[in-house]
Amino acid sequence: MTSASDSAPVLIVGGSLVGLSTAVFLARHGVRCTLVERHPGTSIHPRAVGYYPRTGELLRQAGVEDAAVREAAGFATHRTRAGVTSLAGDVLFSKEELEGDDELGDLTPSRLLLLPQDRLEPLLRDRAEELGADLRFGTELLSFAEGPEGVTAVLGDGAGGTRTFRSSYLVACDGPRSTVREALKVPWHGRGVLSRHVSIAFGADLRPVLGERRYSVVHVKNPQVSGILVHDDTLTGGTLIVGYRPEDGESLEDFTDARCAELVGAAIGAPDVEVTIRSRFPWDMAEQVAEGFVHGRVLLAGDAAHVVPPTGGYGANTGIADAHNLAWKLALVVGGVAGAGLVETYDAERRPVAVYTAEQGSLQLALRSGTATPEQRAAVADAVTVTSGQAYRSAAVVEEPGGADLPVSSDPRALRGAPGTRAPYAVLSRGGEPVSTLDLFGETFVLLAGEHGREWMSAAASASAELGLKLMARRVVPGTGGGAGTLADPDGTWPERYGGLRPEGAVLVRPDGVVAWRSRGAGPGGEETAMLSAVLRRVLVRESRTGTR
């Protein structure tokens, strides 16, 4: 039975971490969106566990970080990666995760967050619904067709009923076996599937075995089992990841409850600990990136766009960053403020990052397996560089004349506000109260001008009115004073962190916290208004091939 159709500007397919993040970020920008997920609820399997500080910053913008930090409080001491013969056996090696995390205070207010995916997803779901997103679990995408005005989809309710749904854009967040990507026949590029695995979620009282030890990740190897074990903060359960080889005749059917319990028991290494099996989740370790992320009005995000080897823990972080990059662009396009070409910059910005990150996952795999060559060891980047040091090149970034040719990712401290990179963190003051620069970003474009940048303030007001664009403009003045429309820089560090801006300079930051453009000094010939307007038109892709939109 088919019912009447309904619609929203954006249809999101897939209700896991990336789909829910997309819904949160879109709804926060005021975009009506509908999410469909064929499963009846959020994940019942732990899956992803670790989120780096940059992801914490994105969750902070979305109003989710505080709730996630509270939920993750029990994991605060789970910082040791170790190799063992079993939890009750010998320790082969031990290393602290994200060494130097306590030294990141000058870079970010966020920290490494350990929280299983099945506990983060409900927080995202609650926030998305609070912001007004329409979430439809137990609803499946059956088919879709793209037309000049948007996408027409057919949705199934699981009971034989169908509904036609119309949207301006469809965002596919439906995982590595994405039905949307397969329907589009978008090929993968990269090394492909490297190995096949099963994640086994289990219950067991690990307290007598662990004692005072707390692990983030445990590499287990003994004659009975070789795999990765992660325990939860209650110490009464966890996940064991093991591989299997179809080429040797092994299959998923071999992983019965009895066999899984045997493997978990061998990983624990204490025969008197009772094990129960909660769920199994098969997955492929792969390094592959879709040929394109933008296909007309159909967009790929998360595992539908790229699969990253889990070594390094970059997959979920990369997917959430995809959603964050895409949401503000969709908001401005469907709102009529930006040209449709702004959405196309999503591919230009995120696909090189995905290729780089997938390669870093493979390098980490080689490093941790002991097979890395000297060249591979030299190419491994630290986690903060991989996740916070990205540099975008696209129509939505205005590069500086003679600016450095930045790699895809580098040490974020060395970037110093270069266009296309994450806007640096600094603590300023507003009305005598400290305010993080990162908390200024997320909703609108932000123009920060130096002490003598009043002309930029006037230019911002004129450009905002001309383009119908929300634009917050503030002068940053040294010391602790300042009046309306200013931010104080008590430590005097802001100009240097943003690349040596002079008092008459300015920097334009996009809603995703990425620097769009920078002028170290005043506009040439007092043309600040015309200059800023032209910059914004370019960043918004308001210029067509035949003229101004």
Side-chain angles (χ1 to χ4, degrees), residues 84-106:
V84 301
T85 56
S86 69
L87 286 184
D90 296 332
V91 176
L92 306 176
F93 71 84
S94 179
K95 180 181 179 181
E96 292 301 299
E97 289 277 30
L98 199 62
E99 290 180 301
D101 185 30
D102 292 339
E103 301 173 3
L104 297 177
D106 67 325

Side-chain angles (χ1 to χ4, degrees), residues 412-439:
R413 288 186 176 88
L415 295 173
R416 299 174 66 238
T421 69
R422 165 186 169 274
Y425 167 64
V427 178
L428 303 177
S429 175
R430 180 169 52 196
E433 297 294 326
V435 56
S436 161
T437 51
L438 300 184
D439 291 337

Side-chain angles (χ1 to χ4, degrees), residues 264-295:
V264 172
I268 295 172
D272 55 338
V273 174
E274 182 179 352
V275 175
T276 58
I277 301 303
R278 294 172 175 168
S279 64
R280 285 173 292 275
F281 182 79
W283 55 278
D284 296 338
M285 180 181 289
E287 180 198 319
Q288 48 196 21
V289 178
E291 188 169 274
F293 291 5
V294 177
H295 299 272

Side-chain angles (χ1 to χ4, degrees), residues 400 449-450 452-453 456 499-507 517-524 528 531:
E400 294 175 306
H452 303 315
W456 291 119
L501 286 180
R502 297 193 292 274
E504 63 275 12
V507 60
W517 162 86
R518 179 174 63 185
S519 176
R520 286 191 170 89
E528 285 86 358
M531 187 175 184

Side-chain angles (χ1 to χ4, degrees), residues 457-496:
M457 303 292 286
S458 299
S462 297
S464 175
E466 176 190 347
L467 300 174
L469 173 73
K470 291 182 180 178
L471 173 60
M472 182 177 77
R474 296 288 185 270
R475 281 190 306 121
V476 181
V477 300
T480 58
T486 64
L487 296 166
D489 180 20
D491 298 328
T493 61
W494 177 76
E496 184 61 27

